[in-house]
Amino acid sequence: MASTASVAPDPQVPPTTDPFDLPKDQLLPAYRWMVLSRAIDERCLALQRQGRIGFYAPLMGQEAAQVGCALAVRPDDWMFPAYRELAVALTRGASLTSVLDQLMGNSSDLTKGRQMPNHFAFADQHYVSASSPIGTQITQAVGAAMAAQRRKDPIVTVAFFGDGATSSNDFHAGMNFAGVFRTPTIFLCQNNQWAISLPRAKQTRSKTLAEKADAYGFPGVVVDGTDVRAVYRAVAEARQRAVRGDGPTMIEAQVYRLGPHSTSDDPKRYRSDEEVAHWKERDPLTRLRGELLAAGAVDAAGDQKIWEDARAQVAAAIAESERIAPMAPDSMFGDVFSVPTPQLEEEQRSFDASDRPHGGAP
Amino acid sequence: MTELTLVQAVNRGLAEAMRSDPDVLILGEDIGVNGGVFRATEGLFKEFGESRVIDTPLSETGIVGTAIGMALYGLKPIAEIQFLDFIYPAFDQIVSELAKMRYRSGGQFPCHVVIRAPYGGGIKGGLYHSQSTEAYFCHTAGLKVAIPSTPADAKGLLLTAVHDEDPVIFLEPKRIYRAVTGEVPDGDHRVPFGSARVVREGSDVSLFAYGAMVPPTVEAADLLVKEGIRAEVIDPRTLVPLDEAAILASVEKTGRAVVVHEAARCCGFGGELAAILAEKAFYSLKAPIGRVTGYDTPFPYALEHLYLPNAETIAHAARSAVQAS
């Protein structure tokens, strides 16, 4: 016993592991999440062309930024996403089937078929309902952080947004409130270089997006968003600052939207093949795969298996979701209010009556 | 019971809500140390401190956006917008976010925020301190809209709003913040939503008015009595949900209706009321439905006395309805 005690670690000696370094045993899981996201993107772009889903907004190119962030935060933290944060939801535990159900708007969809594809809401994952207007989630993330401060909960909120949103009203308001109230908020800007057709250079004259944080009185950092470890480190450091009471951080993760803005967009109209090719060489999946292969964490056959597993999972989830019944017609009237108003009840009664054609309130 | 002005009743309602529930907090511009530009929050900063009476930077979208975040997290925020005229920077948050959060998340994220805002003319406030734009909010599914006209209703509707589970736009008629006083029940006094108040019973014509238009409408009813016309005055108190049963019952009794509001006429709430009456009480009507409203102009500063309905113009419209049949 005495000899065991004599070799106990000296508490004065700092631990050899860096708390902000993505743990080695998380690298392969991170890669799996990134591959799964890519497999969903690939399949769903095809599903939309086949008319099996109405719309899709791919995140390809942004996987490392999203998975790196999702691994660095805790289950109790709150995510305020835009509409391109699918990999965050998956990494936090949203099931693949629930994702497909939302994309199809079927009767198992947690959002009850009320929104376009990609506008997810996963209460169990503290993944707040996404909307289409740009930037509105930013002030909301700050408000939730103010609420956590009031309740003395040691959590952070993360506002996800893109380069375009840095021009929005709510970016300014949210950053300003966060600075004034020193809220535990992480502003994770995925600068994917394009806001539909507007390039980053025309969005702002600022040299970086992160430097905008200076004016609000808190740190802004730029990270290579194609490097899952760099993003993990930045988010983990920001998280520690926030829960320690040192306030918000803005992180600009520099990435590239490898795909179109959405299935309704043709990026060939506004950007060159050369530019896309340049960034394809910096594909975050290629990068992490190279590191894993070099480290011997996976071999070529193992990598192939990861891809095959991901594609098989996606195919199975699609098949499962396509078997689910569509939303019931009168579900249109639910959740407008906690309890329907008499006017809404009357509209629903009229809708439910079978003796007239449907389409618009009579 | 305590004799209070309308703004004092709002203040007592806020204090009551905050005392009974530590999750209730208020935020807005100049509401803390200053007690609000109309003094609606006077004394609350001292009693509840800066963590529950939050002076915010000057940004309405910031106020409503952060209030939404607080509500999602489980608190019960009451946001003050200093004047309804300044709410538009927050319109996106109200219309796109607050109103739709429960619906769009399939019920996973209810979002209960109360937004208080003084509204309406008659205080020499010009274009930007006078408008009455309740119809914008009534038109948006997912919002409730309450407008008190008495001190007791101000407290009672406010406490119902705070304990409701849906977003509420709570519009305070600033013209009568101090012009009317009345007995207000002490403690947790609540007035249910969707329950109109019969201000004055009558049999010849129904006058519908809310907020600051109630006093001149009652005055009009007094003028009409002298001419032998017994006007019924109904205050719906909440426009969403609307007490259609009370409105229809009144018109079925009187056969005549005049709708009064200070908002501009085009697409004002009076149009909705008139449409409901045309659809559901058509065969009870003995005369065309009258409307007495603001004009379809921006709100004029020097000529506000000519823009706003008053007892004479309301009485005139009621008289016309009675004389029509």
Side-chain angles (χ1 to χ4, degrees):
Chain A
M1 287 300 287
S3 65
T4 309
S6 69
V7 296
D10 181 345
Q12 299 305 312
V13 176
T16 50
T17 53
D18 178 344
F20 304 128
D21 200 17
L22 177 62
K24 291 271 182 292
D25 63 356
Q26 290 290 301
L27 271 179
L28 203 53
Y31 183 61
R32 286 184 202 278
W33 290 123
M34 290 164 63
V35 170
L36 182 62
S37 298
R38 184 66 60 91
I40 297 171
D41 271 4
E42 288 172 355
R43 264 322 265 130
C44 288
L45 289 170
L47 285 187
Q48 193 276 338
R49 284 194 289 271
Q50 294 162 5
R52 290 156 75 186
I53 59 175
F55 171 92
Y56 189 75
L59 67 104
M60 52 179 67
Q62 303 180 207
E63 293 90 344
Q66 295 187 17
V67 173
C69 174
L71 291 173
V73 294
R74 308 276 169 87
D76 285 348
D77 295 338
W78 280 57
M79 308 296 108
F80 286 78
Y83 44 70
R84 208 185 292 284
E85 275 65 58
L86 171 58
V88 174
L90 286 171
T91 308
R92 286 178 68 80
S95 77
L96 191 47
T97 315
S98 67
V99 167
L100 265 299
D101 289 339
Q102 198 281 335
L103 297 176
M104 293 182 185
N106 65 30
S107 58
S108 292
D109 172 13
L110 292 170
T111 63
K112 300 186 185 173
R114 305 237 169 88
Q115 287 222 73
M116 289 171 80
N118 300 97
H119 295 64
F120 304 106
F122 298 107
D124 288 348
Q125 279 71 38
H126 288 173
Y127 184 97
V128 174
S129 167
S131 69
S132 306
I134 295 300
T136 46
Q137 73 280 11
I138 300 173
T139 46
Q140 295 166 15
V142 175
M146 291 168 77
Q149 278 177 318
R150 158 123 190 88
R151 289 203 169 155
K152 301 189 165 45
D153 292 341
I155 64 115
V156 302
T157 66
V158 184
F160 294 89
F161 53 95
D163 40 308
T166 62
S167 298
S168 73
N169 301 337
D170 280 275
F171 171 78
H172 167 61
M175 293 280 283
N176 190 44
F177 274 55
V180 168
F181 296 108
R182 281 175 81 80
T183 63
T185 310
I186 298 171
F187 296 88
L188 187 75
C189 176
Q190 294 169 80
N191 169 11
N192 71 10
Q193 315 300 332
W194 290 92
I196 305 187
S197 70
L198 198 78
R200 155 66 185 84
K202 289 188 176 176
Q203 196 65 247
T204 171
R205 185 72 79 180
S206 299
K207 197 172 165 203
T208 69
L209 302 176
E211 73 190 39
K212 289 171 182 275
D214 292 349
Y216 298 103
F218 56 86
V221 296
V222 177
V223 296
D224 180 348
T226 68
D227 179 353
V228 70
R229 284 194 287 211
V231 176
Y232 180 94
R233 170 174 293 277
V235 174
E237 285 179 352
R239 191 184 186 285
Q240 189 189 66
R241 269 177 47 76
V243 294
R244 207 168 52 201
D246 290 342
T249 304
M250 178 174 169
I251 299 167
E252 176 187 351
Q254 294 185 338
V255 294
Y256 191 75
R257 195 192 75 213
L258 290 172
H261 166 72
S262 75
T263 46
S264 308
D265 174 43
D266 173 14
K268 286 188 183 303
R269 292 174 66 89
Y270 52 79
R271 66 187 191 184
S272 70
D273 293 343
E274 292 73 26
E275 181 186 299
V276 178
H278 169 83
W279 280 93
K280 273 195 173 146
E281 288 169 16
R282 286 150 188 80
D283 185 325
L285 273 70
T286 312
R287 176 181 189 142
L288 185 53
R289 179 198 293 130
E291 290 179 23
L292 290 166
L293 288 169
V298 72
D299 58 14
D303 179 43
Q304 194 182 338
K305 175 107 179 27
I306 288 171
W307 280 91
E308 283 168 2
D309 285 351
R311 287 176 178 139
Q313 280 182 61
V314 174
I318 291 168
E320 193 176 333
S321 291
E322 285 192 325
R323 280 197 296 271
I324 305 290
M327 285 300 298
D330 70 354
S331 68
M332 178 160 65
F333 299 96
D335 303 311
V336 180
F337 294 106
S338 53
V339 177
T341 59
Q343 283 72 25
L344 211 47
E345 282 179 331
E346 184 183 324
E347 288 182 15
Q348 183 167 355
R349 273 197 303 277
S350 156
F351 181 87
D352 288 343
S354 58
D355 59 347
R356 61 166 197 83
H358 280 130
Chain B
M1 288 283 197
T2 309
E3 179 90 2
L4 298 172
T5 64
L6 198 149
V7 71
Q8 285 170 335
V10 168
N11 181 275
R12 300 297 166 88
L14 291 170
E16 173 71 26
M18 295 181 78
R19 279 177 205 138
S20 66
D21 188 342
D23 282 341
V24 176
L25 57 80
I26 61 177
L27 69 162
E29 295 157 9
D30 307 301
I31 67 162
V33 178
N34 192 44
V37 296
F38 289 103
R39 306 288 174 257
T41 55
E42 188 152 44
L44 301 180
F45 184 81
K46 195 174 169 199
E47 181 174 351
F48 300 103
E50 64 178 358
S51 72
R52 293 181 71 192
V53 181
I54 303 170
D55 271 324
T56 68
L58 206 165
S59 167
E60 287 76 16
T61 191
I63 293 167
V64 177
T66 54
I68 290 170
M70 291 174 187
L72 291 170
Y73 199 80
L75 299 185
K76 295 177 182 172
I78 305 172
E80 177 177 307
I81 299 297
Q82 202 162 75
F83 287 80
L84 181 59
D85 312 70
F86 304 147
I87 206 167
Y88 306 108
F91 204 60
D92 196 17
Q93 285 290 347
I94 295 169
V95 170
S96 304
E97 302 291 323
L98 181 59
K100 295 171 173 59
M101 191 66 80
R102 179 189 290 273
Y103 192 75
R104 79 185 198 205
S105 66
Q108 294 181 83
F109 289 101
C111 193
H112 169 47
V113 174
V114 177
I115 299 174
R116 295 178 40 244
Y119 85 96
I123 60 147
K124 284 286 173 194
L127 285 172
Y128 303 114
H129 301 80
S130 304
Q131 295 169 89
S132 179
T133 55
E134 61 277 6
Y136 291 147
F137 304 99
C138 298
H139 187 64
T140 299
L143 301 175
K144 292 178 178 173
V145 179
I147 309 180
S149 68
T150 68
D153 281 356
K155 183 179 176 187
L157 291 169
L158 181 59
L159 282 169
T160 298
V162 173
H163 292 98
D164 202 279
E165 291 178 34
D166 297 309
V168 180
I169 307 296
F170 190 86
L171 301 179
E172 299 167 7
K174 60 180 173 291
R175 183 189 194 177
I176 55 171
Y177 258 159
R178 293 180 178 79
V180 300
T181 59
E183 292 285 317
V184 179
D186 298 321
D188 187 12
H189 165 60
R190 297 192 203 180
V191 171
F193 281 7
S195 172
R197 182 170 69 99
V198 180
V199 182
R200 166 85 53 101
E201 287 198 45
S203 53
D204 298 326
V205 57
S206 302
L207 309 179
F208 298 103
Y210 49 86
M213 285 294 102
V214 172
T217 303
V218 170
E219 202 183 320
D222 288 339
L223 295 173
L224 292 164
V225 165
K226 293 171 190 159
E227 302 165 29
I229 297 170
R230 288 159 299 171
E232 180 147 293
V233 179
I234 306 273
D235 173 4
R237 303 199 282 199
T238 55
L239 304 186
V240 181
L242 185 66
D243 187 352
E244 279 190 21
I247 289 160
L248 293 171
S250 179
V251 173
E252 281 159 11
K253 178 172 68 175
T254 64
R256 302 176 185 93
V258 173
V259 184
V260 183
H261 57 63
E262 58 186 287
R265 173 167 299 218
C266 181
C267 297
F269 195 76
E272 180 63 27
L273 273 178
I276 290 169
L277 293 172
E279 285 169 354
K280 298 182 179 173
F282 184 78
Y283 298 107
S284 300
L285 289 170
K286 300 174 198 162
I289 300 161
R291 281 192 287 173
V292 185
T293 69
Y295 285 98
D296 289 317
T297 66
F299 193 99
Y301 171 70
L303 299 178
E304 73 173 346
H305 59 291
L306 299 178
Y307 176 93
L308 288 168
N310 59 41
E312 293 290 346
T313 53
I314 297 164
H316 180 75
R319 208 177 284 126
S320 300
V322 171
Q323 286 165 358
S325 64

